[in-house]
Amino acid sequence: MAVEKEYKVIGTRPIRHDGVDKVTGRALYGADYQAAGLLHGRVLRSPHAHARIKSINTSRAEAYPGVKAVVTAADLTASQDKIVDLGEGAVNLKFMCDNILAREKALYKGHAVAAVAALNGHIAEEALELIDVEYEVLPSAIEVRAAMQDDAPLVHEDMKTDEMGKQSENSSNIASHFQHKKGDIEKGFAEADVVIEHDYVTGTVHQGYIEPHNASAVYNADGEITIWCSTQGAFNARGQVAEILQHPVSKVKVVPMEIGGGFGGKISVYLEPLAALLSKKSGRPVKVLMSREDVFESTGPTPASYVRVKIGATNDGRITAAEAYIAFEAGAYPGSPVGAAAMCVFSPYKIENGFIDAYDVLVNKAKTNAYRAPGSTNVAFATETIIDEICEKIGMDPIEFRLLNSAKEGDSRVDGPVFPRIGFIETVEAAKDHPHYSAPLEGKHKGRGTATGFWPNFAFKSSVSINVNPDGTISLVEGSTDIGGSRASIAMQAAEVLGISAESVHPTVVDTNSVGYTDVTGGSHTTYTTGLAAYEAAQDVKSQMIERAAKLWEVDAKEIEFADGIFRYVNGKEEEIDFKGLAEKLGQTGGPLMGRASVAPSGAGSSIGTHIVDVEVDVDTGKVEILRYTATQDAGKAIHPSYVEGQIQGGAVQGIGWALNEEYIFNEDGQMTNASFLDYRMPTSYDLPMIDAVIVEVPHPGHPFGVRGVGETPIVAPPAAIANAIYDAVGVRLTELPMSPERVLKALGKI
Amino acid sequence: MRAFEYTSPKTVSEAADLLAEKGDLARVLAGGTDLIVQVREGKRHLERIVDIKDIPEANVLSYDPQAGLHLGSAVPCYKIYGDKAISAAFPALADSTHIIGGTAIQGRAAVGGNLCNASPAADTIPALIVLEATCIIAGTNGTREIPVEQFCTAPGITVLQNGEFLESLKVPAPKSNSSSFYLRFIPRNEMDIAVVGAGASVVLDDAKESIVSARIALAAVAPTPLFAEEASVLLAGRAASDESAIEEAAEAAKTIARPISDMRGSAEQRVHLVGVLTKRALNGAIQRVKES
Ligand SMILES: Cc1cc2nc3c(=O)[nH]c(=O)nc-3n(C[C@H](O)[C@H](O)[C@H](O)COP(=O)(O)OP(=O)(O)OC[C@H]3O[C@@H](n4cnc5c(N)ncnc54)[C@H](O)[C@@H]3O)c2cc1C
């Protein structure tokens, strides 16, 4: 249970353990992999959004000098429909395999069709042009509402709708449809004085990590496969590769390299099975890299969506009913985050009467994937702007409205779960008390907006082992790839338990043969779950160390106390020794000492954030400038405050990008026309003010230090907060993301 | 990317010969910020690259208040906006060279390269048009000159014939009571290509009250950057403070815009922006004269 207490290490800001390697360029990322005889792989991708593959002829490519192997779907074991659970939810094996290499049909532009390994990348690229693919181009479904129509082109001819567990009779692009109901929605709306309802449309958005996907593989003659890649989860990648290649999981070893960002997009494998297949065929190590265009077109962005939300409230500001229709583009295979969207759409408000109607819809686009609080941003844009409008109608400050309607411990969400202790009120109060909220905002076309974002957070599984070194330091071995400074936050939790400094911990992220099973770095679980494993492993070390001290002093271990890094025996003869002193004596007290823990906790603590933004709108060009930005968020307990702030700032920035300019632009044939960082407009430092991150700490009762994951929540509020600020500035409500200059001009009636 | 031959001739005639020999399969390399990207992405297949950075004529940068500016085609952007006298004499050129890419790009990217790449959205071309620049084209048979507004003929295509390349540009010295301005609209504040670009130059009378002459040029609203001649002409004789004159010029500029809709912006957004940016460019240039 969380106790308010003074910590020595937790809450401080030591230099991250991987910092020197990264700033000196020594850290090894996936693309840095080298080996004698290394071949370079490239992937041939479908130029069409939807096409039947009539034939593939690779003979010209195979004969091209320098080409060592070519693979197509024919090299993958034809897979059946089979549901496999890889820790992050169940997936259909056939879909997973078909996404690696298209079999009967190419389902999106960029869908992999074949791969080549050659002496260098240039030869491999040349060889791709020599692969003859005969396509029969099919009409494509490229927008969610159109794809839901009965006469829409079918992405999968035999796809039936999963209607809350029952299969539909007819084929449809609607892969699943589900509902959540709470209370009496009609009665709720009847009690309302104000009812606001709008349609919202959001575009496809990419995580935009700086490092493109990569994978290198060695397929040994004895069937042992080793893969080096950039992944959010080595075990998860191992599981996927084993399933896709129908290979024993124990014969696949995944070595996670340093990762240049993932945000949810580096959970699915794309290149790993191809590298392994090419290595098997060529008998040599193979490295496969994506270009930026490949990353945009062929990995999993977060879905475009159509959302309709209706909220009723009384004149004194109480929500009486809330209803949502949520349709998400899954991409070419089922599995959009519409389920998560349904968890988030009305959380964290106290809703007595609610109804959620949700659809997972197939379209001819790359299969979508997780992206920071997947699904929540799309729906918060609707709910949080409607709340702003209700407040305007009833003349209430939106901050007060949120305080009045906030869910508290014991309240249930519309989708069922009952809230444990959450920090909604505290983040709203932190926003209200922040000088930004009351600062005057002078000048024409300037406005201020607020919004709240919610993410439930997840609890997965993690393992940590700790070796005590003779110099009083510990080596901490973990399986969580470090995307956002988690090595430091995990090391600090072990250091706190053992009363040593953060610098005395040497954390290493290792391969799948070298640590216990650990889930992906995702769901905002790492500092929570892997931190918990580190805490437990350190407790294991601590109790073993106590036994060693007992041996040393020839006393009963029960009578030894450990506090502030000192082991003490107080009964009669006074003995004390610090961690370092005892570590030096391990040899004489029984030899090496190692602690370990594997944990699978339930119930992560949800994290909530409330944001304030000031904007200025250029009413002639439609451009929105972010003048000031403040983000408050409940971190439970900030282990390393700099990395919590970094997460809050990074998430807010990605939310700002989503709000203003980021989107996939498709032509009518379903081809993306802006697959580059030039035209997929992520904000640069010139587009942003300093994001003021305010950490709120409402400890999570399920973690010894009170940690709540913080990585995902901060992306949720920005689009709604900015939309509300734009309204305050120029009096128009935008309901489509991004709120690009052109859309602002249209809303203003200028074009 | 296919293998190609890299050459770095020391003279204009050597360069012309190297180009003539390979025709379309040879290309000039100035800063390479367009060319290298195009070759690496497989958008151009070349057999020979002719680096002109060792040719003295392509590297001249001289300014004289009477003779004007002589600008070698390989001179990078930072040298232009970094030169106080040149920036003061040709503010539109300073404006445009300062916004191409970022600092790293400006260290390499040349105005000559920007012009020869012939993008409809090229930032320096409207500036060169309003400053009445002349292109000096070298070839196997000597040199020829043409006004910059005639240089680009279609996206990526120029008047350059086989064996020819742009040696340098000449910009006449600024008249008294004149100034210029270039701006573009981009959704972000950096690292974007113009959705629309507009340049303007104005010459005011000695009292700085009325417009003697003006030139307006536009980018990203037609297959090539445009000289908005009619819009320019109608300003002659109008008061510099006459907002309706500026408005009329902006409307006239809109009539010659024939943009496409693409991922960077829609046609109607672009036409609207022509009006907005033309006004801002003209007012910016007038303001600069008044402040000078
Ligand atoms: C990150 C990035 C950002 C950019 N941002 C902008 C921007 O904001 N605005 C903008 O307008 N452009 C931008 N560009 C494009 C490019 O930087 C400019 O067009 C630049 O001015 C090109 O000059 P260069 O010297 O690098 O040309 P190069 O790449 O060397 O050449 C460009 C083309 O012109 C030809 N060429 C060059 N010199 C001659 C010559 N003397 N005679 C005949 N042919 C010649 C080449 O063969 C090639 O086809 C950007 C590019 C990048 C990579």
Side-chain angles (χ1 to χ4, degrees):
Chain A
M1 285 298 107
V3 233
E4 279 298 326
K5 63 169 283 194
E6 291 279 305
Y7 294 116
K8 285 226 161 66
V9 178
I10 285 172
T12 63
R13 302 173 186 248
I15 289 174
R16 61 196 293 162
H17 301 82
D18 49 322
V20 172
D21 267 0
K22 283 183 175 160
V23 299
T24 55
R26 287 221 168 77
L28 293 176
Y29 290 82
D32 296 325
Y33 175 80
Q34 290 297 342
L38 182 68
L39 299 180
H40 298 265
R42 294 289 186 274
V43 180
L44 180 70
R45 301 181 179 281
S46 167
H48 308 293
H50 195 190
R52 198 169 305 287
I53 299 173
K54 299 180 76 176
S55 67
I56 306 179
N57 185 340
T58 58
S59 53
R60 287 198 303 143
E62 277 156 15
Y64 193 69
V67 171
K68 300 293 174 189
V70 181
V71 297
T72 66
D75 295 282
L76 280 174
T77 319
S79 47
Q80 307 297 314
D81 277 332
K82 174 187 155 195
I83 304 302
V84 291
D85 193 345
L86 294 169
E88 255 264 88
V91 279
N92 182 318
L93 181 60
K94 178 170 166 38
F95 292 159
M96 204 160 77
C97 291
D98 287 356
N99 202 24
I100 298 299
L101 281 170
R103 196 172 285 272
E104 299 92 6
K105 294 204 294 183
L107 297 179
Y108 54 93
K109 178 174 187 251
H111 197 162
V113 171
V116 172
L119 293 178
N120 64 50
H122 301 302
I123 297 174
E125 271 160 31
E126 296 277 306
L128 295 182
E129 289 172 29
L130 301 175
I131 298 175
D132 301 300
V133 188
E134 204 187 333
Y135 293 103
E136 177 194 339
V137 179
L138 303 170
S140 49
I142 51 177
E143 191 273 328
V144 61
R145 276 165 296 173
M148 291 171 83
Q149 303 301 313
D150 287 341
D151 58 352
L154 288 173
V155 178
H156 296 279
E157 281 82 1
D158 51 1
M159 173 64 68
K160 310 289 181 212
T161 306
D162 180 334
E163 283 274 354
M164 323 254 259
K166 279 197 220 102
Q167 294 276 304
S168 68
E169 251 168 51
N170 297 330
S171 290
S172 163
N173 286 326
I174 302 173
S176 71
H177 171 216
F178 63 89
Q179 299 181 329
H180 298 297
K181 288 181 190 153
K182 183 184 174 191
D184 182 341
I185 191 81
E186 258 134 57
K187 182 172 145 275
F189 280 118
E191 284 166 13
D193 298 311
V194 194
V195 176
I196 305 281
E197 177 174 12
H198 290 296
D199 294 5
Y200 295 85
V201 173
T202 73
T204 304
V205 175
H206 200 271
Q207 300 84 351
Y209 30 79
I210 191 76
E211 178 205 26
H213 293 249
N214 53 74
S216 302
V218 171
Y219 198 122
N220 268 346
D222 62 359
E224 295 284 344
I225 302 174
T226 307
I227 290 172
W228 294 259
C229 60
S230 166
T231 177
Q232 289 181 235
F235 285 90
N236 190 276
R238 179 184 76 164
Q240 291 176 69
V241 170
E243 286 292 348
I244 290 165
L245 299 181
Q246 295 294 290
H247 203 76
V249 75
S250 60
K251 283 180 163 266
V252 181
K253 177 170 99 175
V254 174
V255 185
M257 305 295 280
E258 287 296 343
I259 177 169
F263 310 108
K266 286 189 184 151
I267 295 173
S268 292
V269 299
Y270 300 98
L271 301 177
E272 290 82 346
L274 296 178
L277 282 178
L278 289 167
S279 176
K280 184 183 184 187
K281 266 202 163 173
S282 64
R284 292 169 61 162
V286 178
K287 172 159 79 179
V288 194
L289 303 177
M290 283 197 191
S291 66
R292 181 59 58 185
E293 193 178 345
D294 293 341
V295 173
F296 274 116
E297 295 189 335
S298 313
T299 68
T302 207
S305 60
Y306 168 75
V307 176
R308 193 167 62 235
V309 167
K310 179 175 168 186
I311 299 177
T314 57
N315 280 331
D316 58 0
R318 293 216 173 260
I319 298 177
T320 59
E323 185 179 295
Y325 173 100
I326 310 170
F328 270 23
E329 289 182 359
Y333 302 99
S336 77
V338 67
M343 294 177 194
C344 298
V345 59
F346 299 129
S347 304
Y349 296 99
K350 183 177 162 75
I351 307 280
E352 296 297 350
N353 306 298
F355 176 57
I356 297 165
D357 194 23
Y359 299 82
D360 187 38
V361 183
L362 298 174
V363 291
N364 290 110
K365 294 180 183 174
K367 183 192 176 316
T368 57
N369 234 319
Y371 177 24
R372 266 192 146 135
S376 189
T377 307
N378 309 49
V379 291
F381 177 52
T383 301
E384 294 292 309
T385 53
I386 288 183
I387 283 178
D388 202 67
E389 194 171 339
I390 289 175
C391 290
E392 186 203 356
K393 290 263 162 15
I394 63 175
M396 190 168 185
D397 183 332
I399 286 280
E400 299 298 336
F401 185 93
R402 290 190 180 97
L403 288 173
L404 188 65
N405 288 284
S406 82
K408 294 174 199 70
E409 192 169 347
D411 290 336
S412 72
R413 302 197 315 228
V414 176
D415 61 314
V418 175
F419 279 115
R421 180 78 169 90
I422 48 170
F424 183 22
I425 289 183
E426 288 80 355
T427 71
V428 177
E429 279 171 346
K432 189 177 158 183
D433 294 344
H434 193 280
H436 183 175
Y437 193 64
S438 44
L441 183 61
E442 279 148 19
K444 251 178 134 183
H445 306 137
K446 289 182 184 170
R448 179 167 296 156
T450 55
T452 288
F454 168 83
W455 183 245
N457 285 345
F458 292 91
F460 297 143
K461 300 176 283 301
S462 289
S463 304
V464 162
S465 59
I466 294 175
N467 290 307
V468 179
N469 299 317
D471 61 358
T473 66
I474 59 170
S475 303
L476 186 152
V477 177
E478 56 175 305
S480 287
T481 52
D482 179 358
I483 317 187
S486 58
R487 240 179 303 222
S489 326
I490 289 158
M492 288 167 74
Q493 297 184 51
E496 186 71 44
V497 172
L498 297 176
I500 56 179
S501 67
E503 292 77 15
S504 301
V505 184
H506 301 283
T508 316
V509 180
V510 297
D511 66 72
T512 50
N513 283 355
S514 308
V515 67
Y517 181 89
T518 298
D519 273 315
V520 296
T521 297
S524 294
H525 96 111
T526 306
T527 303
Y528 167 61
T529 319
T530 311
L532 185 62
Y535 173 89
E536 296 291 352
Q539 294 289 351
D540 185 16
V541 167
K542 186 173 98 183
S543 50
Q544 293 184 54
M545 292 285 274
I546 287 174
E547 276 165 27
R548 297 303 179 89
K551 228 179 204 174
L552 192 67
W553 298 326
E554 295 174 337
V555 300
D556 188 351
K558 286 199 198 82
E559 291 172 17
I560 292 178
E561 279 176 8
F562 178 70
D564 298 329
I566 311 279
F567 298 88
R568 263 193 202 91
Y569 178 76
V570 280
N571 227 354
K573 57 174 182 177
E574 293 278 318
E575 295 273 15
E576 65 172 56
I577 190 165
D578 67 3
F579 189 86
K580 184 163 183 280
L582 190 53
E584 281 167 8
K585 296 189 164 54
L586 287 183
Q588 63 199 80
T589 55
L593 195 160
M594 186 182 165
R596 60 181 174 73
S598 284
V599 299
S602 59
S606 301
S607 181
I608 297 171
T610 298
H611 295 199
I612 314 168
V613 60
D614 292 353
V615 303
E616 179 171 8
V617 181
D618 181 332
V619 294
D620 293 324
T621 64
K623 184 162 160 173
V624 175
E625 198 76 43
I626 307 291
L627 301 176
R628 186 171 181 185
Y629 204 102
T630 304
T632 71
Q633 192 178 325
D634 178 13
K637 177 71 200 168
I639 301 293
H640 191 307
S642 299
Y643 302 148
V644 172
E645 287 157 7
Q647 291 292 326
I648 296 175
Q649 291 167 332
V653 165
Q654 288 188 308
I656 291 170
W658 192 340
L660 294 182
N661 284 303
E662 288 183 42
E663 70 177 315
Y664 278 39
I665 299 170
F666 293 94
N667 64 19
E668 61 260 29
D669 297 324
Q671 292 156 329
M672 184 183 184
T673 58
N674 62 331
S676 71
F677 274 151
L678 178 60
D679 291 316
Y680 178 85
R681 293 161 170 146
M682 293 173 71
T684 76
S685 57
Y686 291 94
D687 304 306
L688 300 160
M690 187 63 191
I691 309 287
D692 191 354
V694 180
I695 300 172
V696 175
E697 293 183 325
V698 179
H700 167 37
H703 185 279
F705 301 123
V707 167
R708 295 174 192 271
V710 292
E712 297 179 279
T713 300
I715 200 175
V716 179
I722 292 169
N724 293 338
I726 292 173
Y727 177 77
D728 189 42
V730 293
V732 292
R733 290 212 180 265
L734 278 91
T735 55
E736 198 167 341
L737 291 184
M739 298 175 280
S740 58
E742 183 175 3
R743 293 206 178 101
V744 173
L745 279 181
K746 281 199 172 129
L748 290 168
K750 297 280 173 98
I751 55 172
Chain B
M1 184 174 72
R2 294 194 190 139
F4 55 79
E5 177 196 7
Y6 170 83
T7 61
S8 55
K10 307 281 179 281
T11 66
V12 169
S13 67
E14 213 186 317
D17 289 342
L18 283 166
L19 288 166
E21 205 175 271
K22 289 282 180 183
D24 284 348
L25 293 173
R27 218 51 219 179
V28 169
L29 175 80
T33 61
D34 279 315
L35 190 69
I36 293 174
V37 179
Q38 292 160 4
V39 170
R40 275 183 59 162
E41 289 181 350
K43 299 204 166 104
R44 258 184 211 286
H45 293 297
L46 298 179
E47 288 184 359
R48 175 179 290 166
I49 277 181
V50 181
D51 187 345
I52 56 166
K53 288 192 290 295
D54 283 346
I55 301 174
E57 288 86 340
N59 285 304
V60 287
L61 179 65
S62 71
Y63 170 63
D64 178 282
Q66 270 75 49
L69 177 69
H70 191 191
L71 174 61
S73 61
V75 174
C77 290
Y78 84 96
K79 285 201 174 160
I80 299 165
Y81 66 71
D83 183 310
K84 282 204 177 102
I86 295 174
S87 293
F90 310 103
L93 195 58
D95 293 337
S96 62
T97 47
H98 209 96
I99 56 178
I100 289 187
T103 307
I105 296 291
Q106 290 153 16
R108 273 290 185 192
V111 170
N114 195 237
L115 179 57
C116 294
N117 192 56
S119 158
D123 282 311
T124 67
I125 305 181
L128 293 170
I129 293 174
V130 300
L131 295 171
E132 297 180 76
T134 302
C135 306
I136 301 176
I137 297 170
T140 41
N141 300 322
T143 60
R144 65 184 175 115
E145 299 193 1
I146 66 159
V148 70
E149 56 267 34
Q150 290 167 20
F151 187 78
C152 301
T153 54
I157 317 263
T158 67
V159 296
L160 293 177
Q161 300 295 309
N162 191 21
E164 284 188 330
F165 70 103
L166 180 71
E167 183 193 287
S168 57
L169 289 151
K170 272 192 176 153
V171 187
K175 303 191 177 76
S176 48
N177 301 316
S178 76
S179 195
S180 60
F181 199 96
Y182 175 78
L183 83 169
R184 65 180 178 186
F185 177 74
I186 53 173
R188 292 181 289 184
N189 292 328
E190 259 243 10
M191 281 297 162
D192 253 330
I193 296 297
V195 177
V196 172
S201 64
V202 294
V203 183
L204 302 189
D205 63 359
D206 286 343
K208 298 184 182 176
E209 298 279 307
S210 75
I211 300 171
V212 176
S213 66
R215 280 172 79 88
I216 299 164
L218 305 171
V221 292
T224 65
L226 297 178
F227 172 36
E229 198 168 0
E230 260 179 61
S232 306
V233 168
L234 67 80
L235 286 166
R238 307 287 290 265
S241 58
D242 181 358
E243 270 304 317
S244 67
I246 305 284
E247 191 72 48
E248 276 171 49
E251 285 305 314
K254 277 161 81 169
T255 62
I256 63 159
R258 34 199 169 93
I260 54 165
S261 290
D262 65 8
M263 68 283 182
R264 301 206 174 118
S266 71
E268 56 176 343
Q269 178 192 11
R270 285 186 158 124
V271 172
H272 171 80
L273 287 171
V274 167
V276 175
L277 298 193
T278 300
K279 279 187 268 187
R280 290 184 183 180
L282 282 167
N283 283 325
I286 291 168
Q287 193 59 32
R288 279 180 176 162
V289 182
K290 294 202 164 165
E291 282 165 6
S292 65

